[in-house]
Amino acid sequence: TEYNWGEGGISSALAQAEVLAIFGREGVFAAMRWTVPAVGSRLEDAFQLFLDYDGSGGRVTGTSRTCVSSDADVVGAYAVESPTGDLLVLLFNKNTTDENVQVTVTQPVSGTAAVYRFTEGSELGPAGSTVVTAGEAQVVLPARSATLVVLASATDRVFADGFEAGGLAEWSAATGPL
C-alpha cells in the first residue's frame, strides 16, 4: 500500500497525477504515499488537480467513463462524469514536446469547457478554455503537463439519454497533427 516515485521534478508529479486517475478508474480503496509533498511543488499540484483544481473546491469525483488514448505512452487520458453531470477529462502529456490532441465524446455535447493545468514551470491553475462542438474539442497540451478539461453540464444532465444509469460513454484522445 505504500509507494513513492520521487519528490521532485515534473516526472514525479506526472506519475503521481496519472496514478491517481488510474486508482479512480480501477476503484482502488486505499493507497499510501510515503511522504507528504512539499508545499508549492508540482507534486502538491498533482493532488490538487483532484482535490481543488479551481481553488474553489472543484474536485475530480464521480463515475469513471471509458476513455481511450491513441497513444497512451505519449498522452494518458481518463474521463469522469461528476455527480452533477459535468464531464471531466484528464490528459497527461508525457512527451518532451507539445501535443495537439483531439478529444471526442460519443455524445454530441457542445459548450465551452474550462481548462486547468500544471507544467514543469507553472503551478496548477486556469489555462483558458476550449470549445466543444458536436462532441469534439481541440486541446494543445504543453510538454510534460497535466491538463483537466471541464465541460459543465447544462440544466439537464449531459448524459440525459441514460448513460448516467450506468451505460457506456466513450471518450478518445487522439494525438498528432490537427
Side-chain angles (χ1 to χ4, degrees):
T1 61
E2 292 180 357
Y3 69 93
N4 183 339
W5 288 301
E7 296 302 315
I10 193 67
S11 294
S12 297
L14 289 176
Q16 179 62 66
E18 189 165 14
V19 81
L20 290 173
I22 292 168
F23 288 167
R25 180 189 69 198
E26 299 300 321
V28 171
F29 173 74
M32 285 36 124
R33 189 169 187 290
W34 184 251
T35 60
V36 175
V39 173
S41 69
R42 296 300 78 83
L43 201 50
E44 181 184 48
D45 287 339
F47 284 94
Q48 290 301 101
L49 184 66
F50 292 85
L51 299 174
D52 189 16
Y53 61 80
D54 59 2
S56 297
R59 293 176 155 253
V60 175
T61 185
T63 303
S64 180
R65 297 296 184 188
T66 300
C67 188
V68 179
S69 172
S70 64
D71 190 347
D73 289 337
V74 175
V75 175
Y78 305 85
V80 174
E81 179 190 359
S82 78
T84 61
D86 295 349
L87 304 177
L88 310 168
V89 180
L90 293 148
L91 301 166
F92 303 102
N93 181 5
K94 299 171 249 187
N95 206 350
T96 57
T97 59
D98 294 358
E99 288 292 329
N100 296 314
V101 176
Q102 178 176 322
V103 177
T104 304
V105 183
T106 57
Q107 298 300 303
V109 297
S110 295
T112 301
V115 177
Y116 300 88
R117 167 179 299 134
F118 70 83
T119 67
E120 184 170 23
S122 64
E123 64 186 24
L124 176 64
S129 62
T130 188
V131 175
V132 180
T133 305
E136 294 192 355
Q138 308 298 324
V139 182
V140 177
L141 305 176
R144 310 205 54 190
S145 63
T147 300
L148 172 64
V149 179
V150 180
L151 178 60
S153 67
T155 51
D156 293 329
R157 294 177 62 99
V158 173
F159 292 121
D161 63 354
F163 283 110
E164 71 274 8
L168 177 65
E170 293 186 7
W171 300 68
S172 64
T175 61
L178 298 177

